[in-house]
Amino acid sequence: LQFPSKLIEHAVSEISRLPGIGKKTALRLALHLLKQEEKTTVSLADALIELRTKTVFCKQCNNISDTEICQICTSFNRDQSLICVVEDTRDVLALENTGQYNGKYFVLGGIISPINGIGPNEIKVEAFIRKFPNHEIKEVILALSPTMDGDTTAFYLSKKLKQFNLKITTIARGIPIGGELEYADEITLGRSIQQRIKYGED
Amino acid sequence: LQFPSKLIEHAVSEISRLPGIGKKTALRLALHLLKQEEKTTVSLADALIELRTKTVFCKQCNNISDTEICQICTSFNRDQSLICVVEDTRDVLALENTGQYNGKYFVLGGIISPINGIGPNEIKVEAFIRKFPNHEIKEVILALSPTMDGDTTAFYLSKKLKQFNLKITTIARGIPIGGELEYADEITLGRSIQQRIKYGED
């Protein structure tokens, strides 16, 4: 593509660095912004900068947060004996939306994926294991996507957790094998966390 | 969706105002930016702001430009007797990429679409018509999409241009190169057999 303007060429190249957005989509988005009022672009750009510079990772659960300790971790209404391990923030959102879970979370920030060169050190496994022994926590729910990488991560975590006196469970099947957790419908996902089963028995 | 952070909620809401991007995609993009270095977000935001605040519309052809008069309009190598009318910048890019056109352009910035409440005053029809009589221009090519709105716009423009001594043409409609005849729609196929051209002249 030969752009009529260096500025649009540069904007397209920046936008198309986002995952799943090619040059043509990026151009469509750039042209859309040009048609809108200036403040539309300014508030989009501001929101991105604020997001990137002001959010932190919760010191307790590693979820994205505006404060050092997130709302879920500071809440007294959550069951302190339950901790649910997920891959990322989207999974927390998905589980929260089911309204079926009232424990705490731990966000790994990724899953172990040997094929992509992601080992336990690339994600927050150590930070998670360091939470134990914590006599408040009675049960760890492994809510990872039922993919090969998810299973690998679950297996790794279950081995690491064996030394502590914990009930280790995993969300029930019902989520299709090979499916991504975040795209599951609320009913299936809600059921699968209610009917969680002991890890190793699925 | 109940977001763990007001900042992420705000960013998602801003991103999902872009066309074709829903809340889930917006969240995926926001989380992607959070995983990248801060400068990635900063340079994306800067590129958007620069694009929106520094590009202008070429005074002659209404195409997006970094300068008051765009590169195509200032070029002495382009055929000054030909002017091609298109809906938007993407069409200019598409035609430039063919390498088959060496005239000038005029970008309407939209097409007449009664169903969407877009009349001739919402697009740059008047600015275009005001160019005439221009004794350099001998031919106007109406390169609008072969849709109902495109045809309406072409008809409207052709009527307005009738008063001037111009050749008015339109891009050929027919079976796309590489397209299978049997899958072509009836209207296209019908037109392409009515408006058949001498073999060897394509």
Side-chain angles (χ1 to χ4, degrees):
Chain A
L1 290 172
Q2 206 175 340
F3 292 96
S5 141
K6 288 279 162 217
L7 294 170
I8 207 167
E9 183 172 2
H10 180 59
V12 166
S13 123
E14 285 291 332
I15 299 169
S16 61
R17 289 172 69 186
L18 293 169
I21 294 186
K23 292 255 178 211
K24 286 210 167 178
T25 303
L27 179 60
R28 192 164 51 83
L29 298 178
L31 292 177
H32 169 84
L33 288 176
L34 282 174
K35 276 190 184 171
Q36 306 297 307
E37 280 181 81
E38 195 171 306
K39 67 172 189 218
T40 304
T41 305
V42 172
S43 67
L44 170 62
D46 285 351
L48 296 179
I49 295 285
E50 287 239 312
L51 171 73
R52 185 61 189 82
T53 57
K54 293 195 181 158
T55 50
V56 293
F57 291 99
C58 170
K59 286 238 162 93
Q60 279 185 22
C61 73
N62 193 41
N63 197 5
I64 292 155
S65 173
D66 296 344
T67 46
E68 207 168 85
I69 310 291
C70 77
Q71 282 175 16
I72 293 175
C73 286
T74 47
S75 167
F76 289 112
N77 296 321
R78 315 280 308 201
D79 187 341
Q80 313 287 320
S81 72
L82 269 175
I83 189 163
C84 178
V85 182
V86 295
E87 181 182 342
D88 73 17
T89 295
R90 282 178 291 176
D91 303 324
V92 175
L93 284 174
L95 284 163
E96 285 296 289
N97 279 331
T98 68
Q100 299 290 323
Y101 180 67
N102 196 37
K104 299 200 157 192
Y105 292 96
F106 189 86
V107 177
L108 291 174
I111 44 173
I112 297 170
S113 176
I115 220 164
N116 294 314
I118 300 169
N121 296 331
E122 272 70 50
I123 60 174
K124 299 286 175 187
V125 168
E126 274 312 307
F128 177 61
I129 300 299
R130 245 184 280 121
K131 293 180 106 57
F132 303 95
N134 171 334
H135 300 295
E136 260 187 334
I137 303 171
K138 305 288 178 213
E139 179 178 348
V140 172
I141 305 169
L142 303 171
L144 301 163
S145 294
T147 57
M148 194 151 57
D149 291 342
D151 288 345
T152 304
T153 311
F155 182 70
Y156 185 89
L157 289 175
S158 74
K159 255 183 27 182
K160 283 270 182 186
L161 292 170
K162 221 168 212 170
Q163 57 184 306
F164 310 108
N165 186 28
L166 288 166
K167 186 174 169 190
I168 302 174
T169 56
T170 179
I171 48 171
R173 280 193 194 205
I175 298 166
I177 304 298
E180 300 280 349
L181 205 74
E182 62 177 305
Y183 296 119
D185 67 280
E186 292 178 11
I187 293 163
T188 308
L189 195 57
R191 271 251 194 116
S192 71
I193 197 154
Q194 270 186 335
Q195 300 176 349
R196 60 190 178 273
I197 49 173
K198 222 176 162 194
Y199 184 70
E201 280 182 2
D202 62 343
Chain B
L1 290 172
Q2 204 172 345
F3 293 96
S5 141
K6 287 280 163 217
L7 294 170
I8 207 166
E9 183 172 3
H10 180 60
V12 165
S13 122
E14 285 291 332
I15 299 169
S16 62
R17 290 172 67 185
L18 293 169
I21 295 185
K23 292 256 179 214
K24 283 207 169 182
T25 304
L27 179 61
R28 191 163 52 81
L29 297 178
L31 293 177
H32 169 83
L33 288 175
L34 282 174
K35 276 188 185 174
Q36 306 297 306
E37 280 181 82
E38 195 171 305
K39 66 171 188 219
T40 305
T41 305
V42 172
S43 66
L44 169 62
D46 285 351
L48 296 179
I49 295 285
E50 287 240 310
L51 171 72
R52 185 59 188 84
T53 56
K54 293 194 180 160
T55 51
V56 293
F57 291 100
C58 170
K59 285 238 162 97
Q60 279 186 20
C61 73
N62 193 40
N63 196 5
I64 292 155
S65 174
D66 296 344
T67 47
E68 207 168 81
I69 310 291
C70 77
Q71 282 174 17
I72 293 175
C73 286
T74 48
S75 167
F76 289 111
N77 296 321
R78 315 281 306 202
D79 187 341
Q80 313 288 320
S81 72
L82 269 176
I83 189 162
C84 178
V85 183
V86 295
E87 180 180 343
D88 73 17
T89 295
R90 282 178 291 176
D91 303 323
V92 175
L93 284 174
L95 285 163
E96 285 297 288
N97 280 330
T98 68
Q100 299 291 323
Y101 181 68
N102 195 38
K104 300 200 156 190
Y105 291 97
F106 189 86
V107 177
L108 291 173
I111 42 172
I112 297 170
S113 176
I115 220 164
N116 294 314
I118 300 169
N121 296 332
E122 273 70 51
I123 61 174
K124 299 285 177 186
V125 169
E126 273 313 308
F128 177 60
I129 300 300
R130 245 185 280 122
K131 292 179 107 54
F132 302 96
N134 171 333
H135 301 294
E136 263 188 330
I137 303 172
K138 304 290 181 210
E139 180 177 348
V140 172
I141 305 170
L142 304 171
L144 301 163
S145 293
T147 57
M148 196 151 56
D149 291 342
D151 289 346
T152 304
T153 311
F155 182 70
Y156 185 89
L157 289 175
S158 73
K159 254 183 28 182
K160 283 269 182 187
L161 292 169
K162 222 169 211 170
Q163 55 183 307
F164 310 110
N165 187 27
L166 288 165
K167 187 174 168 190
I168 302 173
T169 56
T170 179
I171 47 168
R173 281 83 163 85
I175 309 297
I177 307 295
E180 301 278 352
L181 208 72
E182 59 180 307
Y183 297 124
D185 65 278
E186 289 163 36
I187 295 165
T188 306
L189 195 56
R191 270 230 205 151
S192 74
I193 198 155
Q194 271 186 334
Q195 301 173 352
R196 60 194 176 273
I197 47 173
K198 223 177 157 190
Y199 184 71
E201 279 185 357
D202 62 340

